[in-house]
């Protein structure tokens, strides 16, 4: 480890705001959001596990998405809450790399799971008679394992890249967690090659599932528009509404944060966008997937009845 200041004293996370009067209100808001995220996603998982009618590929991916959202949130929010109540707001060098690794691993797995769910909707709408054959349990499991493997390897590559940099001067991270761009900003090494590698492999890992989602929905739209009845078209589109909402929230904020040069990095704007996909989206997912979904409502009702009995 060549980093003198970072390896000995770690980093200081500046957090969401340096205003002391905002620390307690921010703690209350994000602690509430954290509890809602944990409870909501746990209920989704338990409802799917307890209702045999929800043992389908779509809900298999949804339950795993909820599990990843729980893990994703646990990597970021607890440390942020501790820092909101602390005056030091420090994180060790190793702790920063570990947080960065799991943040990227779980976040990228979310991205691939959203792509898998788009493929599921594509097969269900465009090739319904072969749905059970194409989306069989073995293939779904392979898609999940592939999503995890690619994401974890990508995260490892990114962390190894960051670990080779030197941090000689400031070690104050202008963010509420160890993200790539704020950490790169602190390095006194030449980061031009690192930025190229980061942008290239981010394009490969993030854009690939995004394009998969995009092409899947282009095919779905073409197929649905061929349905003669308006009721049939609405029914087909309604099965995709929840997924499209989550995709728009997740990819919209990620593209804004990561697909810009380091010179265009803005602390305030990036914090808002990052809060969207690290805290807001995992909290909203259970509501988006259950409020307009009759199957999920029935599953949650059955779970409530079981708990009461």
């Amino acid at each position: 480890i060549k980093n003198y200041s970072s390896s000995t004293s770690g980093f200081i996370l500046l957090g969401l705001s340096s205003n002391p009067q905002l620390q307690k209100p921010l703690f209350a808001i994000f602690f509430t959001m954290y509890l809602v995220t944990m409870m909501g996603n746990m209920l989704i998982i338990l409802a799917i596990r307890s209702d045999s009618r929800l043992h389908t590929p779509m809900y298999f991916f949804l339950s795993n998405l909820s599990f990843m959202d729980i893990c994703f949130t646990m990597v970021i929010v607890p440390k942020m809450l501790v820092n909101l109540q602390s005056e030091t707001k420090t994180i060790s060098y190793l702790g920063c790399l570990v947080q960065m690794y799991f943040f990227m691993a779980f976040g990228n797995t979310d991205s691939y799971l959203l792509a898998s769910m788009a493929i599921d909707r594509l097969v269900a709408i465009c090739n319904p008679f072969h749905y059970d054959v194409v989306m069989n349990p073995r293939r779904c499991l392979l898609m999940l394992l592939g999503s995890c493997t690619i994401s974890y390897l990508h995260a490892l590559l990114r962390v190894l890249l960051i670990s080779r940099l030197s941090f000689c001067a400031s070690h104050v991270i202008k963010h509420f967690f160890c993200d790539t761009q704020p950490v790169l900003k602190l390095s006194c090494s030449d980061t031009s090659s690192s930025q190229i590698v980061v942008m290239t492999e981010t394009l490969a890992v993030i854009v690939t599932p995004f394009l998969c989602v995009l092409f899947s929905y282009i095919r779905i739209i073409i197929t649905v528009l061929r349905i003669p009845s308006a009721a049939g078209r609405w029914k087909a589109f309604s099965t995709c509404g929840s997924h499209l909402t989550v995709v728009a929230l997740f990819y919209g904020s990620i593209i804004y944060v990561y697909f810009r040069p380091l010179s265009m990095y803005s602390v305030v704007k990036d914090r808002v966008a990052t809060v969207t996909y690290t805290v807001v989206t995992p909290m909203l997912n259970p509501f988006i997937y259950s409020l307009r979904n009759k199957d999920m409502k029935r599953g949650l009702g059955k779970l409530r009845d079981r708990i009461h009995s």
Side-chain angles (χ1 to χ4, degrees):
I1 297 172
K2 295 181 291 183
N3 315 318
Y4 172 71
S5 63
S6 59
S7 62
T8 54
S9 58
F11 295 106
I12 296 171
L13 291 166
L14 205 58
L16 289 166
S17 174
S18 56
N19 187 343
Q21 295 180 340
L22 290 176
Q23 303 303 301
K24 287 185 179 179
L26 284 171
F27 178 86
I29 291 168
F30 283 99
F31 182 65
T32 304
M33 293 173 76
Y34 179 65
L35 291 179
V36 171
T37 301
M38 294 292 111
M39 290 294 295
N41 284 289
M42 279 300 297
L43 284 173
I44 291 288
I45 294 168
L46 291 172
I48 291 170
R49 291 289 177 88
S50 63
D51 191 345
S52 58
R53 286 176 293 187
L54 297 179
H55 293 175
T56 63
M58 176 184 172
Y59 294 106
F60 168 76
F61 290 123
L62 178 57
S63 63
N64 281 285
L65 181 71
S66 290
F67 177 71
M68 287 300 161
D69 279 343
I70 289 171
C71 297
F72 188 55
T73 307
M74 287 177 69
V75 170
I76 305 296
V77 180
K79 180 62 178 174
M80 180 177 69
L81 293 174
V82 169
N83 285 348
L84 284 168
Q85 294 294 299
S86 172
E87 292 183 5
T88 54
K89 305 181 189 300
T90 56
I91 185 169
S92 68
Y93 176 70
L94 181 61
C96 186
L97 292 180
V98 169
Q99 187 185 53
M100 190 182 293
Y101 173 79
F102 284 109
F103 159 71
M104 286 184 289
F106 295 136
N108 290 331
T109 305
D110 260 10
S111 178
Y112 276 94
L113 285 173
L114 288 171
S116 300
M117 293 170 80
I119 293 169
D120 173 76
R121 292 299 83 208
L122 172 68
V123 177
I125 292 171
C126 301
N127 197 7
F129 297 112
H130 295 93
Y131 178 76
D132 291 334
V133 176
V134 176
M135 299 301 294
N136 60 67
R138 182 175 175 273
R139 186 162 293 164
C140 290
L141 184 60
L142 286 173
M143 289 169 74
L144 173 65
L145 292 175
S147 300
C148 294
T149 303
I150 294 169
S151 301
Y152 296 160
L153 289 175
H154 161 259
L156 182 62
L157 173 65
R158 180 76 67 87
V159 169
L160 288 174
L161 191 70
I162 297 293
S163 69
R164 294 174 65 85
L165 300 176
S166 296
F167 301 89
C168 315
S170 171
H171 54 135
V172 177
I173 299 174
K174 295 179 180 179
H175 216 323
F176 58 90
F177 72 101
C178 289
D179 200 4
T180 310
Q181 299 283 47
V183 173
L184 278 175
K185 273 278 190 181
L186 299 181
S187 177
C188 54
S189 306
D190 179 15
T191 60
S192 56
S193 58
S194 299
Q195 287 182 59
I196 292 169
V197 173
V198 165
M199 286 291 282
T200 304
E201 47 97 21
T202 300
L203 280 168
V205 174
I206 300 296
V207 174
T208 301
F210 177 71
L211 289 176
C212 181
V213 172
L214 187 63
F215 290 138
S216 295
Y217 275 104
I218 289 171
R219 284 282 310 277
I220 288 170
I221 290 167
I222 292 169
T223 302
V224 169
L225 290 176
R226 290 174 181 166
I227 298 173
S229 69
R233 288 195 295 270
W234 171 251
K235 185 179 180 181
F237 273 130
S238 65
T239 63
C240 307
S242 300
H243 182 252
L244 270 174
T245 306
V246 173
V247 164
L249 278 170
F250 184 81
Y251 283 110
S253 52
I254 281 182
I255 288 169
Y256 176 81
V257 172
Y258 294 106
F259 291 93
R260 291 177 302 155
L262 197 61
S263 58
M264 292 177 64
Y265 175 73
S266 165
V267 175
V268 177
K269 290 180 181 178
D270 281 38
R271 279 180 193 165
V272 174
T274 307
V275 164
T276 302
Y277 73 84
T278 57
V279 183
V280 177
T281 303
M283 181 187 71
L284 292 180
N285 280 356
F287 298 100
I288 293 169
Y289 279 108
S290 60
L291 288 177
R292 295 181 61 188
N293 189 317
K294 292 179 180 178
D295 293 332
M296 275 306 307
K297 284 181 180 178
R298 185 177 60 242
L300 288 168
K302 285 185 69 176
L303 178 64
R304 182 192 60 206
D305 294 340
R306 283 191 178 189
I307 291 170
H308 285 171
S309 61

